[in-house]
Amino acid sequence: MVLRKKYLGELLIEAGVITAEQSDKAMQEQKRLGKRLGETLVSLGIITEEVMAKALSAQMGLPFKELRSLSVAPGVLDLVPESLARKHRALPLEINNGRLTIAMSDPLNVFAIDEIKRATRMPVDTVVITESALLRALDQYYSRGEMDEVVKAADAYYPEKEKIVAAAEAMVEDTPIVKLVNTVVTQAVKDRASDIHIEPYEDFIRVRFRIDGKLHDIMKPPKHLHAGIVSRIKILSGMDIAEKRVPQDGRFPINVEGRQFDIRASTLPTHHGEKMVLRLLEKTSGLPQLMLSQLGFSKNVLDSYEKLISMPYGFVLSTGPTGCGKTTTMYSSLRKISAAEKNIVTIEDPIEYNLPNINQVQVNPKAGLTFSSGLRSILRQDPDVIMVGEIRDTETASIATHAALTGHLVLSTLHTNEAVGAIARLIDMGIEPFLITSSLIGVLGQRLIVKICPYCKESYTADEDMLRRVGIKGKALMHGKGCSECRFTGYLGREGLFELLLVTEGIKKLIIEKAPASEIKTQAVKEGFTTMRQEGLMKAAEGITTIEEAMRVTQETEQ
């Protein structure tokens, strides 16, 4: 017990991780900033959070825990209110033999331990964790509990299905439904979700988040809350809450923990009611700040692509299915080439992010502003670079092609499985092969690939037959064993996977001859083209992703 009353600086000096001079320097800075000593030591770069936590655990004879090894027993969060847990930076973990175990970043805080003892009326044992890991764990576990509480409150407030359906319009401003919708959106932001799915079934509502490209079940509120949730979102999005028979679209802004989001909402009538999908687009940070070098390009592909978009004129396409990151690439490309001497104009549907120093035009079909009509008007605005959100029809493809022929750099996107497929798609749209060869200078094919979770990343010995089949030498590869940080999937975060087709003289000859995509691809490989699968397997060899993920993502492109 005497050790617990020692100061942090003393224990770290005893552990040999800092010197007395470093401790004095940190204490002076601590007084100036008004921070805790541990925070000051880390901010000054004298010590890392992990080294400090491990030194404390060793000196005090307490276990050290990493975030991925934390698990919270059912019901234990109810013992320590969130306000108390956040005040003292303490997370309750489990009860063993009548004793409560808590995780703390500052086990020297005897006042905090005493207060938790009084609140729970239980003796307390402590394990040590880094501060950043503890804060993530508090967000992760208490937010889940908050969601459950909000659902219970709404359920208690509207216990009868008939009442909630009949009063849908009146009750959407009532606190329980408003709080439930806000809590779901806030949790989606904390979980890094790109989309929220709200799906009605016969007896319940299924709420799912799309995280790193995959849907995860989050909660299942009772069915009679569905009308209120949908009505609340419709009002926020400017939709007609009385219309339930046809799909509707809308959008609304929201502020979550100081971050500005634009939420795109859409409804779809289903057998058990209206399904809603909310797409989360961050406005204050995110895409506009991304550099091309941060997207996942290999060095060779990045160098070639940057040369393409630096050309004074020509047609550059980005291809891939919906949700593969084409918009991210386009915006990052514009950010790369944006300069004071260039007039850059875009036409988009919708404008997902506002870009500085670039003129962005929103498509408005009701007012007669389509991609094709807008593109015609843009050409009269003396542009240097034009970005067309998507080539959807023959007229837009034709105007974009002619714009590239008349001294403009044109960037756009097209829905095809692979880069080579863009040529056949343009021909199908009615663009003559000689126009394609005169305007098209490159096609970027892309996908999003899931990265191995850095918190539970480990090496393993791969199967020799698999390595031989995919052409990777050596056995030591990486995978994620699964932890609470990655929801036990082994993957966390995504990055781009790219292939770049350069329209060389050899490729032009095949286009004029209307050669099939397979011949064009064979010729491109001879000239140094690296397929998306090869790029994916290189990422697996580098320990960025797994072989299984690389094969899964590139399955369509290799058929």
Side-chain angles (χ1 to χ4, degrees):
M1 293 301 295
V2 176
L3 280 175
R4 285 184 180 272
K5 294 180 181 178
K6 284 194 176 182
Y7 290 109
L8 174 63
E10 292 179 80
L11 281 181
L12 294 177
I13 292 170
E14 285 179 11
V17 294
I18 65 171
T19 63
E21 290 76 19
Q22 288 173 325
S23 177
D24 291 342
K25 178 184 176 183
M27 288 177 72
Q28 290 173 7
E29 188 72 4
Q30 174 198 10
K31 290 174 184 175
R32 188 178 71 82
L33 298 175
K35 291 182 177 180
R36 294 186 302 166
L37 181 61
E39 289 179 90
T40 308
L41 285 165
V42 172
S43 65
L44 290 174
I46 295 172
I47 193 173
T48 66
E49 278 189 313
E50 188 170 353
V51 169
M52 181 170 64
K54 286 182 176 177
L56 280 173
S57 71
Q59 287 297 103
M60 298 181 67
L62 299 173
F64 172 76
K65 289 276 188 180
E66 294 182 335
L67 180 62
R68 62 173 178 264
S69 63
L70 278 189
S71 61
V72 174
V76 75
L77 292 175
D78 297 335
L79 295 172
V80 182
E82 182 176 1
S83 57
L84 185 62
R86 290 191 182 277
K87 174 185 174 183
H88 293 309
R89 306 280 175 91
L91 177 70
L93 299 178
E94 60 184 356
I95 298 172
N96 278 324
N97 299 321
R99 300 180 66 87
L100 174 67
T101 301
I102 60 173
M104 297 184 72
S105 58
D106 183 9
L108 293 165
N109 190 343
V110 292
F111 301 107
I113 295 170
D114 287 343
E115 190 169 345
I116 292 171
K117 282 180 182 177
R118 287 195 298 271
T120 60
R121 297 180 182 177
M122 298 178 72
V124 170
D125 293 325
T126 309
V127 299
V128 185
I129 187 173
T130 65
E131 178 129 343
S132 58
L134 177 64
L135 292 175
R136 283 201 301 270
L138 287 170
D139 284 340
Q140 179 181 336
Y141 288 105
Y142 273 104
S143 294
R144 295 289 176 216
E146 182 188 356
M147 289 180 75
D148 292 340
E149 290 301 316
V150 171
V151 172
K152 287 176 185 175
D155 191 19
Y157 197 85
Y158 308 110
E160 300 171 17
K161 179 179 178 181
E162 292 75 16
K163 175 185 173 184
I164 196 168
V165 173
E169 289 191 39
M171 64 85 205
V172 289
E173 293 302 328
D174 286 340
T175 302
I177 287 294
V178 172
K179 189 171 183 182
L180 176 56
V181 171
N182 289 345
T183 302
V184 169
V185 174
T186 300
Q187 188 59 44
V189 170
K190 289 179 179 178
D191 286 355
R192 304 177 300 103
S194 59
D195 301 87
I196 303 169
H197 289 241
I198 301 170
E199 304 161 335
Y201 292 91
E202 188 172 0
D203 301 316
F204 61 89
I205 311 164
R206 187 185 191 192
V207 178
R208 296 193 287 173
F209 293 168
R210 187 175 293 280
I211 303 169
D212 292 337
K214 295 180 181 178
L215 285 169
H216 298 265
D217 281 323
I218 301 301
M219 62 178 179
K220 293 181 179 178
K223 176 64 181 293
H224 61 256
L225 298 179
H226 178 252
I229 294 170
V230 170
S231 295
R232 172 64 182 166
I233 296 171
K234 280 184 174 181
I235 286 178
L236 287 172
S237 308
M239 300 183 200
D240 181 357
I241 69 169
E243 180 56 76
K244 301 175 182 177
R245 299 165 298 173
V246 297
Q248 296 187 67
D249 294 292
R251 61 198 305 165
F252 62 94
I254 193 167
N255 184 304
V256 180
E257 296 180 346
R259 298 161 64 189
Q260 294 290 332
F261 286 84
D262 191 34
I263 310 292
R264 292 204 318 233
S266 66
T267 67
L268 182 70
T270 69
H271 180 62
H272 294 294
E274 290 176 282
K275 169 183 163 69
M276 298 206 80
V277 175
L278 309 181
R279 169 151 291 188
L280 283 65
L281 299 169
E282 187 168 4
K283 301 180 75 171
T284 50
S285 64
L287 278 177
Q289 281 70 45
L290 280 181
M291 308 289 288
L292 283 171
S293 57
Q294 296 174 292
L295 301 185
F297 282 93
S298 63
K299 186 178 186 308
N300 291 340
V301 174
L302 179 60
D303 290 345
S304 298
Y305 182 69
E306 287 185 339
K307 286 178 185 175
L308 278 186
I309 61 175
S310 299
M311 301 285 280
Y313 57 85
F315 195 8
V316 179
L317 279 170
S318 178
T319 68
T322 301
C324 71
K326 298 188 296 295
T327 301
T328 308
T329 304
M330 288 291 100
Y331 281 171
S332 300
S333 301
L334 293 178
R335 190 168 184 267
K336 172 73 177 176
I337 61 180
S338 177
E341 66 272 12
K342 287 184 179 178
N343 177 22
I344 301 177
V345 188
T346 75
I347 181 160
E348 307 170 57
D349 183 25
I351 295 174
E352 295 191 4
Y353 294 90
N354 296 319
L355 300 176
N357 307 317
I358 290 172
N359 305 285
Q360 295 174 270
V361 178
Q362 169 67 55
V363 167
N364 187 351
K366 291 180 181 177
L369 180 56
T370 62
F371 275 115
S372 54
S373 65
L375 192 47
R376 281 198 184 91
S377 299
I378 288 170
L379 287 171
R380 294 193 285 270
Q381 292 283 309
D382 184 32
D384 296 296
V385 180
I386 302 168
M387 194 271 271
V388 183
E390 185 183 340
I391 301 292
R392 293 181 181 174
D393 53 54
T394 300
E395 190 177 9
T396 306
S398 178
I399 299 168
T401 302
H402 283 90
L405 286 171
T406 53
H408 306 91
L409 178 66
V410 181
L411 307 179
S412 191
T413 68
L414 197 63
H415 286 274
T416 63
N417 282 341
E418 56 181 341
V420 174
I423 294 166
R425 182 83 180 95
L426 289 173
I427 293 174
D428 288 344
M429 283 182 159
I431 308 301
E432 293 292 338
F434 75 90
L435 288 175
I436 296 174
T437 58
S438 302
S439 60
L440 189 67
I441 58 176
V443 183
L444 186 73
Q446 67 180 87
R447 291 287 190 282
L448 286 175
I449 199 162
V450 187
K451 297 189 291 184
I452 298 170
C453 173
Y455 298 99
C456 59
K457 193 174 190 177
E458 63 179 13
S459 61
Y460 74 103
T461 302
D463 179 71
E464 287 188 20
D465 290 336
M466 176 187 281
L467 291 174
R468 191 163 44 249
R469 285 199 304 273
V470 299
I472 294 178
K473 295 179 181 178
K475 290 185 179 181
L477 293 175
M478 305 296 290
H479 70 176
K481 64 181 181 181
C483 65
S484 59
E485 191 74 9
C486 62
R487 295 172 173 270
F488 300 95
T489 62
Y491 298 102
L492 185 68
R494 293 191 290 176
E495 70 175 34
L497 186 61
F498 302 92
E499 62 181 15
L500 181 62
L501 176 69
L502 300 175
V503 183
T504 62
E505 291 303 318
I507 300 296
K508 287 180 180 179
K509 183 174 181 293
L510 293 174
I511 293 173
I512 293 292
E513 295 171 357
K514 293 187 178 181
S518 57
E519 283 188 32
I520 295 175
K521 192 171 186 177
T522 300
Q523 177 64 27
V525 170
K526 287 180 184 176
E527 297 177 4
F529 173 73
T530 307
T531 67
M532 218 176 302
R533 174 158 290 182
Q534 289 171 319
E535 290 281 340
L537 292 173
M538 281 192 278
K539 285 183 184 289
E542 292 166 7
I544 297 170
T545 190
T546 61
I547 290 177
E548 293 79 9
E549 176 66 8
M551 300 292 278
R552 181 190 70 81
V553 168
T554 59
Q555 187 174 355
E556 291 179 355
T557 66
E558 297 297 316
Q559 289 176 347

